[in-house]
Amino acid sequence: MKTKEEILFQETPVGRALLSLVVPTVISQIITVIYNMADTFFIGQIGDPNQVAAVSLCMPMFVFLTGLANLFGIGGSSLIARSLGTNDHDKTKRAAAFSIWTAVVVSLLYGIGLLMMRSVILPVVGANAETYDFCCQYIFWTITIGAVPTVLNQLLAHLVRAEGHSAQASFGVALGGGLNIILDPVFIFPLGLEIAGAAIATMVSNLIATFYFIFLLSRKENTTDISFYPKFYTWKENIPKEVLLVGIPSCLMTLMGVLSNITINRLMSGYSNAAVAGIGVAKKVDMLSFAIATGMSQGALPLIGYNYAAKNYKRMKAALKVDFLISFIVALIGSIFLFTCASPIVKAFINDEETVYYGQMFQRIICITGPCISVTMLTITSFQSVGKKIEPMILSLLRKGGLDIPFMFLLNNLKGVNGIVWATPIADLGAMVVAVVLFVPFWQRLSDQKSNRNIV
C-alpha cells in the first residue's frame, strides 16, 4: 500500500500536487519576509534613523545564517527527494543526519567567530560611531546566541518539505515569523530595550520554531526518515559531496547577496545614514518578490527531484511548466504593487522625510525586475532538484556579486546614489537571460526520450 507521500509524488494531478507543495511554502516565505521586516518596522517607530541603519548594516551578517540553512537544507532535501524516488530509505536517514549535525557545528562556530571579530568586521560593513553600539547589541542576540536555532529552523523546514510535508514545514517557519511579530513590540516598547529587544525577540522566536520541528519529528519517528540520531551521521557514500555541491549555489547566492548588501551599504554610507536606512527599507520590502519566487521554486523541488529519480520525466516536465507560468504571473503582479505603492509602504516603516525620499525612490528601481527573479530562481531549483551543480552556481554568481557589485561602483561614479541602486535590476535581468540560455538545452534533452537517462 502506497503512503500519502508516494501518492502525492506519483499519482495526484500535477496542478493539485504542485499547489499543495507550493502554496504553503510561499505563505511561509511571505511570513518570513514580514518577520524580517518586523525589526525594521518596529525599530522605525522609535524614530531613530541610526537604529534603523544599524539593523540594515547587520542584516547581511544575519542573512548569512540563511545561506548556511540553504547549504545543508536545499542540498539535503534534494538528495532526500531523489533517494525517496529510488526507495533508498537508509540513504535518506544518513543524508538528513549529515545535514543537521554539520549545520549545527558550522552555525555555532560562525556565531562565536563573529562575536570575537566584531570590532574588525562591523567597521568594514559600514558601522560608524553612531551605529556601532547598536550593531553590537543586535548581532549578539540574533547571531552569537541565535545562530543555531535560526539555522535549524530553516534547515528542518527544507528537510520536512522534501518528504512531502509542505504544510507542516511551512507552519514551523510561519510560527517563528508570527512570534517575532508579536514579541517585537513587547520587547522594544514596554520593556524599553529598543534594538536589543528586537534582537531578543528574533532569537526567542527562532528557538521556539526549532523546538516545534524537533517535537514534530519526534512524533513522526516511526514514519519519517529524517533522523537526529548521530549513528546515521556519515562522510561516506558521497553524501557530503551530494549535499554540499547541490546546496552550494543557494548558499553562494546568499553569501554573494551578503557581499552585495555590504557593498551597497558602504557606498550609501558615503551619502548619509538616511540613505542607508532608505536602502535598508527598500531591500526589506523587495524581499517580498524574492520570497514569492523562492517559495514557488523550493516548494516544487521535492516533486521535480522525486520524479526525476523515478524516471517519470513526463510528470516532471508538467510540474515545471505549471510552476514557471504561475510564478511569473504572481511575480509580475507583485512588482506592479510594490512600484505603485512605494511611498506609503516606506512611510509605514519610518516617517523621517529624508529616509522616505530615498526609500520610495530605491524601491521603485529595485522592484521592476521581479519577474526576472522568478525565472532565474526556478531555473536554479530545477537544476538543483536533478543534482546538477555547475549551472546553479553560474546563475547564483551572476545574480549576486558577478554583475551587481561591478555595476554598483561603475554607476556610483556615473550617476551617484541612484546609480548604485540601478545595479540590482541590471544584474537580475542579466541573470535571467543566462538562465534561459542554460535551461533551453536542458529542456530539449529532457524532451528527447533517448537522452533521458543521460541528462546529468
Side-chain angles (χ1 to χ4, degrees), residues 1-12 17 20-21 163-165 168 220 223 303 306 315:
M1 183 176 179
K2 292 184 178 181
T3 65
K4 290 189 296 183
E5 292 73 31
E6 289 173 332
I7 293 173
L8 174 68
F9 288 138
Q10 297 174 12
E11 299 176 2
T12 304
S20 70
L21 292 168
E163 289 194 316
H165 305 299
Q168 291 94 324
K220 290 178 173 287
T223 58
L303 184 63
Y306 184 99
R315 185 172 175 83

Side-chain angles (χ1 to χ4, degrees), residues 1-249:
M1 183 176 179
K2 292 184 178 181
T3 65
K4 290 189 296 183
E5 292 73 31
E6 289 173 332
I7 293 173
L8 174 68
F9 288 138
Q10 297 174 12
E11 299 176 2
T12 304
V14 169
R16 192 191 310 165
L18 195 62
L19 289 175
S20 70
L21 292 168
V22 164
V23 171
T25 308
V26 170
I27 292 173
S28 69
Q29 287 291 327
I30 292 174
I31 292 175
T32 299
V33 168
I34 295 172
Y35 132 66
N36 284 326
M37 290 179 181
D39 286 355
T40 302
F41 175 80
F42 288 114
I43 291 172
Q45 307 312 300
I46 299 171
D48 183 359
N50 291 325
Q51 293 194 50
V52 176
V55 174
S56 300
L57 293 170
C58 292
M59 194 49 57
M61 292 173 284
F62 182 71
V63 169
F64 180 79
L65 297 174
T66 299
L68 292 178
N70 287 342
L71 172 63
F72 298 104
I74 292 180
S77 64
S78 174
L79 182 55
I80 286 171
R82 285 179 280 133
S83 298
L84 290 174
T86 57
N87 287 315
D88 191 345
H89 294 279
D90 287 337
K91 190 170 185 178
T92 300
K93 289 184 174 68
R94 289 190 283 272
F98 173 83
S99 300
I100 292 169
W101 287 109
T102 309
V104 168
V105 172
V106 173
S107 57
L108 182 63
L109 292 175
Y110 171 66
I112 295 172
L114 187 58
L115 175 66
M116 297 174 64
M117 298 291 293
R118 66 187 184 282
S119 61
V120 176
I121 294 174
L122 290 179
V124 171
V125 301
N128 55 28
E130 296 171 311
T131 58
Y132 180 83
D133 288 340
F134 292 132
C135 288
C136 287
Q137 295 175 50
Y138 194 80
I139 65 171
F140 175 77
W141 290 106
T142 57
I143 302 176
T144 301
I145 302 297
V148 172
T150 299
V151 170
L152 274 183
N153 173 24
Q154 300 174 66
L155 164 68
L156 293 174
H158 285 304
L159 302 188
V160 168
R161 191 178 294 118
E163 289 194 316
H165 305 299
S166 184
Q168 291 94 324
S170 300
F171 177 80
V173 175
L175 175 64
L179 285 173
N180 191 50
I181 294 169
I182 294 171
L183 294 178
D184 255 349
V186 175
F187 283 99
I188 292 173
F189 301 113
L191 298 181
L193 296 176
E194 298 189 339
I195 191 172
I200 294 171
T202 299
M203 181 273 295
V204 171
S205 301
N206 284 321
L207 183 62
I208 293 174
T210 299
F211 282 136
Y212 158 78
F213 279 114
I214 293 173
F215 176 74
L216 173 70
L217 293 171
S218 297
R219 292 194 63 183
K220 290 178 173 287
E221 184 176 5
N222 295 325
T223 58
T224 183
D225 288 329
I226 299 173
S227 175
F228 289 95
Y229 291 119
K231 68 179 182 179
F232 291 114
Y233 189 90
T234 182
W235 284 80
K236 300 177 181 179
E237 298 183 77
N238 283 329
I239 286 176
K241 178 181 177 181
E242 284 294 317
V243 170
L244 296 176
L245 289 183
V246 172
I248 278 176

